[in-house]
Amino acid sequence: MAKPCVFASPSSTPLLKDELDIVIPTIRNLDFLEMWRPFFQPYHLIIVQDGDPSKVIKVPEGFDYELYNRNDINKILGPKASCISFKDSACRCFGYMVSKKKYIYTIDDDCFVAKDPTGKEINALEQHIKNLLCPSTPFFFNTLYDPYRDGADFVRGYPFSLREGVPTAVSHGLWLNIPDYDAPTQLVKPLERNTRYVDAVMTIPKGTLFPMCGMNLAFDRELIGPAMYFGLMGDGQPIGRYDDMWAGWCIKVICDHLGLGVKTGLPYIWHSKASNPFVNLKKEYKGIYWQEELIPFFQSVALPKECTSVQKCYLELSKQVKAKLGKVDDYFNKLADAMITWIEAWDDLNPSTATAAKLPNGSSK
Amino acid sequence: MAKPCVFASPSSTPLLKDELDIVIPTIRNLDFLEMWRPFFQPYHLIIVQDGDPSKVIKVPEGFDYELYNRNDINKILGPKASCISFKDSACRCFGYMVSKKKYIYTIDDDCFVAKDPTGKEINALEQHIKNLLCPSTPFFFNTLYDPYRDGADFVRGYPFSLREGVPTAVSHGLWLNIPDYDAPTQLVKPLERNTRYVDAVMTIPKGTLFPMCGMNLAFDRELIGPAMYFGLMGDGQPIGRYDDMWAGWCIKVICDHLGLGVKTGLPYIWHSKASNPFVNLKKEYKGIYWQEELIPFFQSVALPKECTSVQKCYLELSKQVKAKLGKVDDYFNKLADAMITWIEAWDDLNPSTATAAKLPNGSSK
């Protein structure tokens, strides 16, 4: 029988109130937070301001936040700031790095509170936390979806030795209304809206890659943070809109190697506005053909046994990126270098986990 | 963009009316068919009567059917009838073998028509047919589930080269009300009912095993039929209630090898009655510990390139079962032999596909 996941905090205290930061990349005033107030106000926000640093971003009153613009990023990271993208929402990963909390939730500023089929407003953050606090089951598929949810369990034929599950590192949420399509699909189906509410959370099986969208995403920084790098995108780069995809492929192969789980499904947010498909096409077109080589690369990545920490895995991955993708385009040589810089910057800002990374798994605690 | 799956038969003709048989194993009168009449009556039924062959099974009027009892099976298969289980619903696979149609739907006689959340009766067979006629996507996970459904598509980051999908060989449907739990879970949660309607169909990724339940299952006989053997269960055997699980593990590794898809999710049926958990425990207990060795075995099965037909794959699998599972229990030596007998019997009854099996893939057509 699946052990029920019990969330024991008193009902008056929001779950993980002091252990989770909400990271928001933005270029505009954060009016969208008004709608999220009942759910987000108890938490600390990390706002990563993209674009012109002289612009003043207004944050609705009553929210507890810190804000970083490009000048702040350059000051904090010095020359290592080169690994943080500019003029692309990939800059959000700076927020993951400066957080001191165990968990991160990141959301785009064009995402609003969705309603479930009964009309009730969905507390997306609460569902992500439940996903992260319940185990994952990457080694065998459960046909009734997440066996740890109320009213569900492991079905007949599910090996008992696998019913404890593994720690969940990532919770990938979905979107009602505007679906996360690429530019060609946007162009062909401009009016398509996602209206199907699928009441499921599931583990993405070991060995299977998925397209991770950064719009509505939560993760455990301690388990997987150093691999949540959103790459080099936007200003000065030949590609955009692949930041979250890149991170998704990297975290998945590392989670698979380390025996961690990745969940997808609930919660939904309401994605309000389709981005311009013509602009997107320009950002994406190299990614669209590069990904035909990237997917086979990530599908065949093998990390050696010695890679016992996320940092070690990620540095090994950067080596393989350089060795195998450098010939696809010189961009991947730059990206591989930036992956190393990212880990160095992460370790500078997070010295305790950096130490852990250099010792055999867990022995530093 | 995903090519929409168009089902072009005139609305007055049920889909695949002359290309699908419904296989029902039973020991009792088939009153349950009354509820299915609007959906099943246009199709041909193959009833496999288990237990005492002298008992007369009543079939409601107006259904087109053929019925086989144990005497019929013995007469048709001769000594090869030993591969067909007795006093266990595993006997249903005899129906797969005698069918002359391209598609099979099999359902238990304690399964009734379920309702969707709007209160509409679900035509389970129609949904299975849609699942089988639309491609599968086993090589990469689509976060909006089946990309070929209305209102869905491939999301950003899904490689374009994989968007054609692969042929779907199996459609695994689910159950509302009584969930398909093993005896230990039934004993611990006697009152649990499945009330969650998850509006999704998805492909089980390549390399991932799942617990296939035979209660509400459809498949393409031409693509995977010879691997749908439900094993040796029931009378004279040390195990029961693992017939569908065994078939599920076998078909999944063969589908993965041949590049075929397996879908799970919709449609739901209403499973009316929990079987006795004490009786089930007796049938299952060997399976519960054997499966701890079976799963690693199936997870590591590698079929050589020369296995270009289902029959060749299945015979190779029987060899590996004997070599690697024979030491777990002598039962698996018997089962491996029965797997060979099953293929011989299949080829006797299906000479055209048997020929195809002996020639290089497709060259007999």
Side-chain angles (χ1 to χ4, degrees), chain A residues 1 139 141 150 152-153 155-156 160-161 163 180-182 188-189 196 198-199 205 208-209 211 241 244-245 292 299, chain B residues 1 139 141 150 152-153 155-156 160-161 163 180-182 188-189 196 199 205 208-209 211 241 244-245 292 299:
Chain A
M1 190 188 64
F139 306 120
F141 191 91
D150 260 356
D153 212 310
V155 300
R156 180 170 58 90
F160 279 80
S161 60
R163 296 192 185 193
D180 187 31
Y181 287 163
D182 48 60
V188 174
K189 290 179 151 182
R196 185 175 288 127
V198 175
D199 185 12
T208 301
L209 294 173
R241 279 172 60 84
D244 41 6
M245 297 300 142
E292 300 294 340
Q299 283 175 335
Chain B
M1 190 187 67
F139 305 120
F141 191 91
D150 260 358
D153 212 309
V155 301
R156 182 170 56 93
F160 279 81
S161 61
R163 294 190 187 195
D180 188 30
Y181 287 163
D182 48 59
V188 174
K189 290 177 150 185
R196 183 176 289 127
D199 185 12
T208 301
L209 294 173
R241 279 170 63 84
D244 42 6
M245 297 300 141
E292 299 294 340
Q299 282 175 336

Short mmCIF file of all heavy atoms in Angstrom, two decimals, chain A residues 1 139 141 150 152-153 155-156 160-161 163 180-182 188-189 196 198-199 205 208-209 211 241 244-245 292 299, chain B residues 1 139 141 150 152-153 155-156 160-161 163 180-182 188-189 196 199 205 208-209 211 241 244-245 292 299:
data_model
loop_
_atom_site.label_atom_id
_atom_site.label_comp_id
_atom_site.label_asym_id
_atom_site.label_seq_id
_atom_site.Cartn_x
_atom_site.Cartn_y
_atom_site.Cartn_z
N MET A 1 0.85 -1.20 0.00
CA MET A 1 0.00 0.00 0.00
C MET A 1 0.88 1.24 0.00
O MET A 1 1.90 1.28 0.68
CB MET A 1 -0.89 0.00 1.24
CG MET A 1 -1.95 1.06 1.20
SD MET A 1 -2.87 1.21 2.76
CE MET A 1 -1.62 1.74 3.91
N PHE A 139 10.76 4.02 -11.99
CA PHE A 139 11.26 2.74 -12.50
C PHE A 139 10.20 1.83 -13.08
O PHE A 139 10.51 0.80 -13.68
CB PHE A 139 12.01 2.00 -11.38
CG PHE A 139 13.11 2.83 -10.77
CD1 PHE A 139 13.10 3.13 -9.42
CD2 PHE A 139 14.14 3.32 -11.56
CE1 PHE A 139 14.11 3.91 -8.87
CE2 PHE A 139 15.14 4.10 -11.01
CZ PHE A 139 15.13 4.40 -9.65
N PHE A 141 5.80 2.04 -14.44
CA PHE A 141 4.65 2.93 -14.68
C PHE A 141 3.46 2.47 -13.85
O PHE A 141 3.12 1.29 -13.84
CB PHE A 141 4.31 2.87 -16.17
CG PHE A 141 3.33 3.91 -16.62
CD1 PHE A 141 3.77 5.14 -17.09
CD2 PHE A 141 1.96 3.67 -16.58
CE1 PHE A 141 2.87 6.10 -17.52
CE2 PHE A 141 1.06 4.63 -17.01
CZ PHE A 141 1.51 5.85 -17.48
N ASP A 150 -4.48 10.88 -2.72
CA ASP A 150 -5.69 10.36 -2.07
C ASP A 150 -6.53 9.59 -3.07
O ASP A 150 -6.78 10.07 -4.18
CB ASP A 150 -6.53 11.54 -1.57
CG ASP A 150 -6.34 11.78 -0.09
OD1 ASP A 150 -5.61 10.98 0.54
OD2 ASP A 150 -6.90 12.76 0.42
N ALA A 152 -5.84 6.88 -4.59
CA ALA A 152 -5.08 6.09 -5.58
C ALA A 152 -4.08 5.21 -4.84
O ALA A 152 -3.86 5.37 -3.64
CB ALA A 152 -4.35 7.01 -6.55
N ASP A 153 -3.48 4.30 -5.55
CA ASP A 153 -2.45 3.44 -4.97
C ASP A 153 -1.72 2.75 -6.11
O ASP A 153 -1.99 3.01 -7.28
CB ASP A 153 -3.10 2.42 -4.02
CG ASP A 153 -2.16 2.06 -2.86
OD1 ASP A 153 -0.98 1.74 -3.12
OD2 ASP A 153 -2.62 2.11 -1.71
N VAL A 155 -1.18 -0.32 -8.46
CA VAL A 155 -2.12 -1.34 -8.94
C VAL A 155 -1.47 -2.73 -8.88
O VAL A 155 -0.25 -2.86 -8.68
CB VAL A 155 -2.60 -1.02 -10.38
CG1 VAL A 155 -3.31 0.33 -10.42
CG2 VAL A 155 -1.45 -1.08 -11.35
N ARG A 156 -2.30 -3.74 -9.05
CA ARG A 156 -1.86 -5.13 -9.13
C ARG A 156 -0.71 -5.25 -10.13
O ARG A 156 -0.81 -4.70 -11.23
CB ARG A 156 -3.05 -5.98 -9.58
CG ARG A 156 -2.79 -7.47 -9.71
CD ARG A 156 -4.11 -8.22 -9.93
NE ARG A 156 -4.81 -7.74 -11.11
CZ ARG A 156 -4.64 -8.25 -12.35
NH1 ARG A 156 -3.85 -9.28 -12.54
NH2 ARG A 156 -5.30 -7.74 -13.36
N PHE A 160 6.52 -4.73 -5.25
CA PHE A 160 6.48 -4.15 -3.90
C PHE A 160 7.79 -3.46 -3.54
O PHE A 160 7.80 -2.47 -2.81
CB PHE A 160 6.10 -5.22 -2.87
CG PHE A 160 4.62 -5.45 -2.84
CD1 PHE A 160 4.00 -6.24 -3.79
CD2 PHE A 160 3.84 -4.82 -1.89
CE1 PHE A 160 2.62 -6.42 -3.79
CE2 PHE A 160 2.45 -4.99 -1.88
CZ PHE A 160 1.84 -5.80 -2.83
N SER A 161 8.89 -3.95 -4.08
CA SER A 161 10.19 -3.36 -3.74
C SER A 161 10.33 -1.94 -4.27
O SER A 161 11.22 -1.21 -3.85
CB SER A 161 11.32 -4.22 -4.32
OG SER A 161 11.20 -4.28 -5.72
N ARG A 163 7.78 0.31 -4.19
CA ARG A 163 6.66 1.14 -3.73
C ARG A 163 7.06 2.25 -2.76
O ARG A 163 6.23 3.10 -2.43
CB ARG A 163 5.55 0.26 -3.15
CG ARG A 163 4.95 -0.63 -4.23
CD ARG A 163 3.66 -1.33 -3.80
NE ARG A 163 3.23 -2.25 -4.86
CZ ARG A 163 2.04 -2.83 -4.94
NH1 ARG A 163 1.14 -2.57 -4.01
NH2 ARG A 163 1.74 -3.65 -5.92
N ASP A 180 1.71 25.75 -24.61
CA ASP A 180 3.11 26.08 -24.86
C ASP A 180 3.57 25.45 -26.17
O ASP A 180 4.28 24.44 -26.17
CB ASP A 180 3.97 25.60 -23.68
CG ASP A 180 5.41 26.07 -23.81
OD1 ASP A 180 5.62 27.17 -24.37
OD2 ASP A 180 6.32 25.35 -23.36
N TYR A 181 3.16 26.05 -27.29
CA TYR A 181 3.52 25.53 -28.61
C TYR A 181 4.73 26.27 -29.17
O TYR A 181 4.97 27.43 -28.84
CB TYR A 181 2.34 25.70 -29.58
CG TYR A 181 1.18 24.76 -29.33
CD1 TYR A 181 -0.07 25.04 -29.89
CD2 TYR A 181 1.31 23.60 -28.57
CE1 TYR A 181 -1.15 24.18 -29.70
CE2 TYR A 181 0.24 22.76 -28.37
CZ TYR A 181 -0.99 23.04 -28.93
OH TYR A 181 -2.06 22.20 -28.74
N ASP A 182 5.44 25.62 -30.08
CA ASP A 182 6.51 26.27 -30.82
C ASP A 182 5.89 27.18 -31.89
O ASP A 182 4.69 27.10 -32.19
CB ASP A 182 7.44 25.23 -31.44
CG ASP A 182 6.65 24.16 -32.15
OD1 ASP A 182 5.90 24.49 -33.10
OD2 ASP A 182 6.74 22.99 -31.74
N VAL A 188 0.24 27.65 -37.32
CA VAL A 188 -0.74 26.79 -37.97
C VAL A 188 -2.04 26.72 -37.18
O VAL A 188 -3.12 26.56 -37.74
CB VAL A 188 -0.12 25.39 -38.17
CG1 VAL A 188 -1.14 24.42 -38.71
CG2 VAL A 188 1.07 25.46 -39.11
N LYS A 189 -1.95 26.85 -35.88
CA LYS A 189 -3.15 26.72 -35.02
C LYS A 189 -3.28 27.93 -34.11
O LYS A 189 -3.22 27.80 -32.88
CB LYS A 189 -3.01 25.47 -34.14
CG LYS A 189 -3.12 24.15 -34.87
CD LYS A 189 -2.94 23.02 -33.85
CE LYS A 189 -3.67 21.77 -34.24
NZ LYS A 189 -3.54 20.70 -33.22
N ARG A 196 -8.56 21.28 -21.77
CA ARG A 196 -8.70 19.97 -21.13
C ARG A 196 -7.96 19.94 -19.79
O ARG A 196 -6.74 20.04 -19.75
CB ARG A 196 -8.15 18.88 -22.05
CG ARG A 196 -8.37 17.47 -21.50
CD ARG A 196 -7.92 16.42 -22.48
NE ARG A 196 -8.82 16.32 -23.62
CZ ARG A 196 -8.44 16.38 -24.90
NH1 ARG A 196 -7.17 16.54 -25.21
NH2 ARG A 196 -9.34 16.29 -25.84
N VAL A 198 -6.72 17.79 -17.08
CA VAL A 198 -6.39 16.39 -16.82
C VAL A 198 -6.00 16.26 -15.35
O VAL A 198 -4.97 16.81 -14.92
CB VAL A 198 -5.25 15.91 -17.74
CG1 VAL A 198 -4.84 14.49 -17.39
CG2 VAL A 198 -5.69 15.99 -19.20
N ASP A 199 -6.82 15.58 -14.59
CA ASP A 199 -6.65 15.52 -13.13
C ASP A 199 -5.61 14.46 -12.76
O ASP A 199 -5.94 13.44 -12.14
CB ASP A 199 -8.01 15.22 -12.50
CG ASP A 199 -7.96 15.26 -10.99
OD1 ASP A 199 -6.94 15.74 -10.44
OD2 ASP A 199 -8.92 14.80 -10.35
N PRO A 205 9.01 8.50 -16.63
CA PRO A 205 9.84 7.32 -16.37
C PRO A 205 11.33 7.57 -16.61
O PRO A 205 11.73 8.43 -17.41
CB PRO A 205 9.31 6.29 -17.37
CG PRO A 205 7.90 6.70 -17.63
CD PRO A 205 7.93 8.21 -17.60
N THR A 208 13.38 8.50 -20.10
CA THR A 208 12.51 9.23 -21.03
C THR A 208 12.73 10.73 -20.88
O THR A 208 12.65 11.25 -19.77
CB THR A 208 11.03 8.89 -20.73
OG1 THR A 208 10.84 7.49 -20.87
CG2 THR A 208 10.09 9.63 -21.67
N LEU A 209 12.97 11.41 -21.99
CA LEU A 209 13.12 12.86 -21.96
C LEU A 209 11.77 13.53 -22.17
O LEU A 209 10.85 12.93 -22.74
CB LEU A 209 14.07 13.31 -23.07
CG LEU A 209 15.52 12.85 -22.92
CD1 LEU A 209 16.32 13.23 -24.16
CD2 LEU A 209 16.17 13.47 -21.68
N PRO A 211 9.77 17.72 -22.72
CA PRO A 211 9.98 19.15 -22.96
C PRO A 211 9.58 19.94 -21.71
O PRO A 211 8.40 20.15 -21.46
CB PRO A 211 9.06 19.45 -24.14
CG PRO A 211 8.07 18.33 -24.21
CD PRO A 211 8.49 17.24 -23.28
N ARG A 241 14.25 30.87 -26.45
CA ARG A 241 13.11 29.97 -26.20
C ARG A 241 13.52 28.49 -26.08
O ARG A 241 12.69 27.61 -26.21
CB ARG A 241 12.03 30.13 -27.29
CG ARG A 241 11.15 31.35 -27.02
CD ARG A 241 10.18 31.67 -28.14
NE ARG A 241 9.23 30.63 -28.49
CZ ARG A 241 8.06 30.43 -27.87
NH1 ARG A 241 7.71 31.17 -26.85
NH2 ARG A 241 7.24 29.48 -28.29
N ASP A 244 14.51 26.68 -21.11
CA ASP A 244 13.90 25.69 -20.22
C ASP A 244 14.05 24.28 -20.79
O ASP A 244 14.24 23.31 -20.05
CB ASP A 244 12.43 26.03 -19.93
CG ASP A 244 11.66 26.52 -21.16
OD1 ASP A 244 12.22 26.49 -22.28
OD2 ASP A 244 10.49 26.90 -21.01
N MET A 245 14.00 24.18 -22.12
CA MET A 245 14.18 22.86 -22.75
C MET A 245 15.56 22.31 -22.42
O MET A 245 15.72 21.15 -22.04
CB MET A 245 14.03 22.96 -24.28
CG MET A 245 12.66 23.41 -24.73
SD MET A 245 11.39 22.26 -24.17
CE MET A 245 10.06 23.40 -23.76
N GLU A 292 17.15 18.20 -33.19
CA GLU A 292 17.17 16.87 -33.80
C GLU A 292 18.49 16.14 -33.50
O GLU A 292 18.55 14.92 -33.54
CB GLU A 292 16.95 16.96 -35.32
CG GLU A 292 15.61 17.58 -35.73
CD GLU A 292 14.39 16.75 -35.34
OE1 GLU A 292 14.54 15.54 -35.09
OE2 GLU A 292 13.29 17.33 -35.26
N GLN A 299 19.68 11.39 -25.16
CA GLN A 299 19.18 10.03 -24.98
C GLN A 299 20.32 9.03 -24.77
O GLN A 299 20.12 7.97 -24.19
CB GLN A 299 18.33 9.60 -26.19
CG GLN A 299 16.92 10.22 -26.14
CD GLN A 299 16.09 9.93 -27.38
OE1 GLN A 299 16.63 9.67 -28.46
NE2 GLN A 299 14.78 9.97 -27.24
N MET B 1 2.93 20.21 -36.67
CA MET B 1 1.57 20.04 -36.13
C MET B 1 1.15 18.59 -36.24
O MET B 1 1.45 17.92 -37.21
CB MET B 1 0.61 20.90 -36.96
CG MET B 1 -0.77 20.99 -36.35
SD MET B 1 -1.94 21.84 -37.43
CE MET B 1 -2.10 20.73 -38.80
N PHE B 139 8.97 7.60 -27.98
CA PHE B 139 10.39 7.99 -27.89
C PHE B 139 10.65 9.28 -27.12
O PHE B 139 11.80 9.63 -26.86
CB PHE B 139 10.99 8.09 -29.30
CG PHE B 139 10.80 6.83 -30.10
CD1 PHE B 139 10.10 6.84 -31.30
CD2 PHE B 139 11.31 5.63 -29.63
CE1 PHE B 139 9.93 5.67 -32.03
CE2 PHE B 139 11.14 4.45 -30.36
CZ PHE B 139 10.44 4.48 -31.55
N PHE B 141 8.40 12.17 -24.34
CA PHE B 141 7.15 12.40 -23.59
C PHE B 141 6.51 13.71 -24.02
O PHE B 141 7.19 14.73 -24.12
CB PHE B 141 7.50 12.46 -22.10
CG PHE B 141 6.31 12.41 -21.18
CD1 PHE B 141 5.83 11.21 -20.71
CD2 PHE B 141 5.67 13.59 -20.79
CE1 PHE B 141 4.73 11.16 -19.86
CE2 PHE B 141 4.57 13.55 -19.94
CZ PHE B 141 4.11 12.34 -19.48
N ASP B 150 -8.12 15.81 -30.27
CA ASP B 150 -8.67 17.14 -30.54
C ASP B 150 -8.26 18.12 -29.45
O ASP B 150 -8.39 17.82 -28.27
CB ASP B 150 -10.21 17.06 -30.52
CG ASP B 150 -10.78 16.99 -31.92
OD1 ASP B 150 -9.98 17.06 -32.88
OD2 ASP B 150 -12.01 16.87 -32.05
N ALA B 152 -5.33 19.14 -28.73
CA ALA B 152 -3.97 18.95 -28.21
C ALA B 152 -2.99 18.90 -29.37
O ALA B 152 -3.39 18.81 -30.53
CB ALA B 152 -3.88 17.67 -27.39
N ASP B 153 -1.73 18.95 -29.06
CA ASP B 153 -0.70 18.85 -30.09
C ASP B 153 0.63 18.57 -29.39
O ASP B 153 0.68 18.42 -28.17
CB ASP B 153 -0.62 20.14 -30.91
CG ASP B 153 -0.23 19.87 -32.36
OD1 ASP B 153 0.79 19.17 -32.57
OD2 ASP B 153 -0.91 20.36 -33.26
N VAL B 155 4.01 19.82 -27.89
CA VAL B 155 4.39 21.09 -27.29
C VAL B 155 5.76 21.53 -27.77
O VAL B 155 6.50 20.76 -28.40
CB VAL B 155 4.36 21.00 -25.74
CG1 VAL B 155 2.97 20.63 -25.24
CG2 VAL B 155 5.41 20.03 -25.24
N ARG B 156 6.08 22.78 -27.47
CA ARG B 156 7.39 23.35 -27.78
C ARG B 156 8.50 22.42 -27.26
O ARG B 156 8.41 21.94 -26.14
CB ARG B 156 7.50 24.72 -27.08
CG ARG B 156 8.79 25.48 -27.33
CD ARG B 156 8.67 26.91 -26.78
NE ARG B 156 8.31 26.90 -25.38
CZ ARG B 156 9.18 26.94 -24.35
NH1 ARG B 156 10.48 27.03 -24.59
NH2 ARG B 156 8.76 26.92 -23.11
N PHE B 160 10.65 17.52 -34.19
CA PHE B 160 9.74 17.38 -35.33
C PHE B 160 9.87 16.02 -36.00
O PHE B 160 8.90 15.50 -36.54
CB PHE B 160 9.96 18.53 -36.32
CG PHE B 160 9.26 19.79 -35.89
CD1 PHE B 160 9.82 20.62 -34.93
CD2 PHE B 160 8.01 20.11 -36.38
CE1 PHE B 160 9.15 21.76 -34.49
CE2 PHE B 160 7.33 21.24 -35.95
CZ PHE B 160 7.90 22.07 -35.00
N SER B 161 11.07 15.45 -35.96
CA SER B 161 11.27 14.17 -36.63
C SER B 161 10.48 13.05 -35.95
O SER B 161 10.31 11.98 -36.52
CB SER B 161 12.75 13.80 -36.62
OG SER B 161 13.21 13.69 -35.29
N ARG B 163 7.31 13.47 -34.80
CA ARG B 163 5.89 13.82 -34.71
C ARG B 163 4.96 12.96 -35.57
O ARG B 163 3.75 13.07 -35.48
CB ARG B 163 5.70 15.31 -35.00
CG ARG B 163 6.35 16.16 -33.92
CD ARG B 163 6.00 17.64 -34.02
NE ARG B 163 6.79 18.39 -33.03
CZ ARG B 163 6.53 19.64 -32.66
NH1 ARG B 163 5.52 20.28 -33.20
NH2 ARG B 163 7.29 20.24 -31.77
N ASP B 180 -8.03 -2.00 -9.76
CA ASP B 180 -7.36 -3.29 -9.96
C ASP B 180 -6.19 -3.42 -8.99
O ASP B 180 -5.03 -3.28 -9.39
CB ASP B 180 -6.91 -3.40 -11.42
CG ASP B 180 -6.39 -4.80 -11.71
OD1 ASP B 180 -6.87 -5.76 -11.08
OD2 ASP B 180 -5.49 -4.93 -12.56
N TYR B 181 -6.49 -3.70 -7.74
CA TYR B 181 -5.45 -3.82 -6.72
C TYR B 181 -5.10 -5.29 -6.49
O TYR B 181 -5.93 -6.18 -6.68
CB TYR B 181 -5.93 -3.23 -5.40
CG TYR B 181 -6.00 -1.71 -5.36
CD1 TYR B 181 -6.73 -1.06 -4.38
CD2 TYR B 181 -5.33 -0.94 -6.30
CE1 TYR B 181 -6.80 0.33 -4.32
CE2 TYR B 181 -5.38 0.45 -6.25
CZ TYR B 181 -6.12 1.08 -5.26
OH TYR B 181 -6.18 2.44 -5.21
N ASP B 182 -3.88 -5.52 -5.99
CA ASP B 182 -3.49 -6.87 -5.56
C ASP B 182 -4.15 -7.18 -4.22
O ASP B 182 -4.70 -6.29 -3.55
CB ASP B 182 -1.97 -6.96 -5.47
CG ASP B 182 -1.40 -5.79 -4.71
OD1 ASP B 182 -1.75 -5.60 -3.54
OD2 ASP B 182 -0.62 -5.02 -5.32
N VAL B 188 -5.94 -4.18 2.82
CA VAL B 188 -5.65 -3.01 3.63
C VAL B 188 -6.63 -1.87 3.34
O VAL B 188 -6.95 -1.07 4.21
CB VAL B 188 -4.19 -2.55 3.38
CG1 VAL B 188 -3.88 -1.25 4.07
CG2 VAL B 188 -3.22 -3.64 3.82
N LYS B 189 -7.10 -1.80 2.12
CA LYS B 189 -8.01 -0.72 1.71
C LYS B 189 -9.29 -1.28 1.11
O LYS B 189 -9.58 -1.04 -0.07
CB LYS B 189 -7.32 0.14 0.65
CG LYS B 189 -6.16 0.99 1.14
CD LYS B 189 -5.53 1.74 -0.04
CE LYS B 189 -4.92 3.05 0.36
NZ LYS B 189 -4.43 3.81 -0.81
N ARG B 196 -11.68 8.97 -9.57
CA ARG B 196 -11.01 10.04 -10.33
C ARG B 196 -11.02 9.73 -11.82
O ARG B 196 -10.38 8.77 -12.27
CB ARG B 196 -9.58 10.21 -9.83
CG ARG B 196 -8.84 11.36 -10.51
CD ARG B 196 -7.46 11.56 -9.92
NE ARG B 196 -7.53 12.11 -8.59
CZ ARG B 196 -6.94 11.59 -7.52
NH1 ARG B 196 -6.21 10.51 -7.61
NH2 ARG B 196 -7.08 12.17 -6.34
N ASP B 199 -8.91 12.57 -17.74
CA ASP B 199 -9.26 12.71 -19.16
C ASP B 199 -8.00 12.70 -20.03
O ASP B 199 -7.65 13.72 -20.64
CB ASP B 199 -10.04 14.01 -19.33
CG ASP B 199 -10.56 14.18 -20.75
OD1 ASP B 199 -10.52 13.22 -21.53
OD2 ASP B 199 -11.02 15.31 -21.08
N PRO B 205 6.23 5.21 -22.39
CA PRO B 205 7.50 5.40 -23.11
C PRO B 205 8.25 4.10 -23.34
O PRO B 205 8.12 3.13 -22.59
CB PRO B 205 8.29 6.32 -22.17
CG PRO B 205 7.25 7.04 -21.37
CD PRO B 205 6.15 6.04 -21.18
N THR B 208 9.95 1.43 -20.66
CA THR B 208 9.23 1.45 -19.39
C THR B 208 8.20 0.33 -19.36
O THR B 208 7.38 0.22 -20.28
CB THR B 208 8.51 2.80 -19.21
OG1 THR B 208 9.48 3.83 -19.24
CG2 THR B 208 7.75 2.87 -17.90
N LEU B 209 8.23 -0.48 -18.31
CA LEU B 209 7.22 -1.53 -18.15
C LEU B 209 6.02 -1.01 -17.38
O LEU B 209 6.12 -0.04 -16.63
CB LEU B 209 7.83 -2.71 -17.39
CG LEU B 209 8.95 -3.45 -18.11
CD1 LEU B 209 9.57 -4.48 -17.17
CD2 LEU B 209 8.43 -4.15 -19.36
N PRO B 211 1.94 -2.36 -15.54
CA PRO B 211 1.10 -3.50 -15.17
C PRO B 211 -0.14 -3.51 -16.06
O PRO B 211 -1.06 -2.73 -15.85
CB PRO B 211 0.74 -3.21 -13.70
CG PRO B 211 1.04 -1.75 -13.49
CD PRO B 211 1.75 -1.20 -14.66
N ARG B 241 -3.88 -14.90 -11.51
CA ARG B 241 -3.96 -13.43 -11.51
C ARG B 241 -2.67 -12.76 -12.00
O ARG B 241 -2.47 -11.58 -11.77
CB ARG B 241 -4.33 -12.90 -10.12
CG ARG B 241 -5.84 -12.98 -9.86
CD ARG B 241 -6.23 -12.69 -8.44
NE ARG B 241 -5.91 -11.34 -7.97
CZ ARG B 241 -6.66 -10.27 -8.16
NH1 ARG B 241 -7.77 -10.35 -8.85
NH2 ARG B 241 -6.30 -9.10 -7.66
N ASP B 244 -2.47 -11.50 -17.23
CA ASP B 244 -2.39 -10.26 -18.01
C ASP B 244 -1.07 -9.53 -17.75
O ASP B 244 -0.50 -8.92 -18.67
CB ASP B 244 -3.60 -9.36 -17.72
CG ASP B 244 -3.97 -9.30 -16.23
OD1 ASP B 244 -3.24 -9.87 -15.40
OD2 ASP B 244 -5.00 -8.68 -15.91
N MET B 245 -0.57 -9.64 -16.52
CA MET B 245 0.72 -9.01 -16.21
C MET B 245 1.83 -9.62 -17.07
O MET B 245 2.64 -8.91 -17.67
CB MET B 245 1.08 -9.21 -14.73
CG MET B 245 0.10 -8.56 -13.77
SD MET B 245 0.02 -6.78 -14.03
CE MET B 245 -1.73 -6.48 -13.81
N GLU B 292 9.45 -9.81 -8.29
CA GLU B 292 10.66 -9.05 -7.95
C GLU B 292 11.86 -9.50 -8.80
O GLU B 292 12.80 -8.75 -9.00
CB GLU B 292 10.99 -9.18 -6.46
CG GLU B 292 9.90 -8.66 -5.52
CD GLU B 292 9.67 -7.17 -5.60
OE1 GLU B 292 10.56 -6.44 -6.09
OE2 GLU B 292 8.57 -6.71 -5.20
N GLN B 299 13.22 -5.93 -17.66
CA GLN B 299 13.89 -4.63 -17.89
C GLN B 299 15.21 -4.80 -18.62
O GLN B 299 15.68 -3.86 -19.26
CB GLN B 299 14.12 -3.92 -16.54
CG GLN B 299 12.83 -3.27 -16.01
CD GLN B 299 12.99 -2.67 -14.62
OE1 GLN B 299 13.85 -3.07 -13.87
NE2 GLN B 299 12.13 -1.71 -14.30
#
